[in-house]
Amino acid sequence: MTAPRTRPAVVAFDVNETLLDLAPVQATLIENGEPGHLLPTVFSRTLALGFAAATAGTRCRFRDAFEAALAQLTGLSAAQRTAVADAFGELSPHPDVKPALRRLTSAGVRAVTLSQGTPGVAEAGLSRGGVTPLVERTLTTESIGVWKPDRAAYLWAAGVCDVAPAELALVAVHSWDVHGAQRAGLTGGWCSRAESAYAAVYEPPHVQGASLLEVVEALLALPPA
Amino acid sequence: MTAPRTRPAVVAFDVNETLLDLAPVQATLIENGEPGHLLPTVFSRTLALGFAAATAGTRCRFRDAFEAALAQLTGLSAAQRTAVADAFGELSPHPDVKPALRRLTSAGVRAVTLSQGTPGVAEAGLSRGGVTPLVERTLTTESIGVWKPDRAAYLWAAGVCDVAPAELALVAVHSWDVHGAQRAGLTGGWCSRAESAYAAVYEPPHVQGASLLEVVEALLALPPA
């Protein structure tokens, strides 16, 4: 279905759940009287709201979709919803992020982030994890008013990095994101850390691994371009 | 944002959750050892998987997305997932369906269904509720390989009914569906039976009500075309 893949020149990492742990958001949900296990449902609903907007030809900000999901799934007041959404500013990286970024950049491959989320969230989280110097640039689709997995999001990222789509890899823990990247001509890498199964309705990932480090190793093992 | 609305010539009703109660699907989930409260999460995830496929420019069948959502959210075997999905064949209408359809058709307005789902599900449910004679035609977007809220879905329905988009109303309990219909030029009617709040990231509904009958009354109260 796609051309044989080669070692990427740049790897774009998704941010929420892929690089950054949503634990502070979950903690704030609990502080406001909601069960912590609700977070995956809220996050899924957030994505569904945004994807549907995109499918209908409109758009919304990630933060607004997140607060709308909270309004549909909880009894929180507007002020409480704001407090929970604000917790995205307190995220830190998962433990496998630093080793993966180190391995990648020491092999001469560039690293960027490609988020769906609010500008500033990725920057704060990377800084909190002490990995800012390992990341060349942070990108969010909010800058262009589209939502991943619209192919425009991935092609824009390739454009910003000044590489061909085939030279850019997208690494994410969400199968829909990997699928979208691959449909746009990128190399896709799925980390199985967050989903119990890759969604069978999508194109299988080019490479995969149980940790970000494993995914990076698999990308580096691809033949040179 | 949209033109002043007039009384529709045809009303298209969404099927899953709007006309038909998913209780048998929930019961089968429980029979297979999963908590019943998981159904809304599975249903949301199903939609997110399908919307993301549409956003990425691909497509999948509702049933396949539903089974993929079950695989991601439960420990069910493939055979068990099939059993749960098969329960869509056993749905019956919500109590407010028959009065709403009777009121509509007795006022001379045509009624059709516009589903995302598997062909046959709507027909079986309408028959089980004894309301088949009140519905002129059943439509599912699976016939054209798109997912609501892609505007093509709503325009196709207007085409099949041989009316202008402005003469067709879409009634659903999901705000994303109402939003998509309105963006396509239809009149939108939201029934608040299933969502605790209309999603603030979408265009507000033209009419709304707590039951399908209330929504139908609101549509009939619109000025003549």
Side-chain angles (χ1 to χ4, degrees), chain A residues 11 22 36 43 49-50 113 184 198:
Chain A
V11 177
L22 300 188
F43 194 75
L49 287 165
T113 64
Y198 188 90

Side-chain angles (χ1 to χ4, degrees), chain A residues 61-110:
Chain A
R61 296 187 310 158
F62 179 87
R63 187 184 169 111
D64 293 334
F66 182 79
E67 293 198 31
L70 284 177
Q72 293 197 322
L73 294 165
T74 71
L76 298 179
S77 68
Q80 289 174 313
R81 296 196 296 267
T82 297
V84 178
D86 282 346
F88 275 95
E90 297 161 22
L91 309 184
S92 294
H94 284 284
D96 55 352
V97 170
K98 190 181 272 190
L101 289 174
R102 277 206 176 128
R103 175 73 182 98
L104 193 67
T105 53
S106 69
V109 176
R110 299 153 60 195

Side-chain angles (χ1 to χ4, degrees), chain A residues 21 40 95:
Chain A
D21 189 345

Side-chain angles (χ1 to χ4, degrees), chain A residues 22-23 34 43 81 92-94 104 112-113 154 156 170 172 177 187 196 203 219 222:
Chain A
L22 300 188
E34 296 291 335
F43 194 75
R81 296 196 296 267
S92 294
H94 284 284
L104 193 67
V112 301
T113 64
Y154 307 101
W156 169 69
L170 182 282
D177 204 356
T187 298
S196 58
E203 195 175 292
L219 289 171
L222 291 171

Side-chain angles (χ1 to χ4, degrees), chain B residues 125-143:
Chain B
L126 296 176
S127 168
R128 199 168 287 112
V131 293
T132 303
L134 299 173
V135 175
E136 179 179 303
R137 189 156 177 174
T138 55
L139 304 173
T140 167
T141 56
E142 190 170 314
S143 306

Side-chain angles (χ1 to χ4, degrees), chain A residues 133-149:
Chain A
L134 299 172
V135 174
E136 181 178 303
R137 188 156 178 173
T138 54
L139 305 173
T140 168
T141 56
E142 191 169 314
S143 307
I144 51 168
V146 303
W147 272 59
K148 297 186 288 180

Side-chain angles (χ1 to χ4, degrees), chain A residues 11 13 100-101 103-104 211-221:
Chain A
V11 177
F13 291 87
L101 289 174
R103 175 73 182 98
L104 193 67
S211 71
L212 292 179
L213 185 57
E214 282 185 25
V215 176
V216 162
E217 291 291 2
L219 289 171
L220 293 175

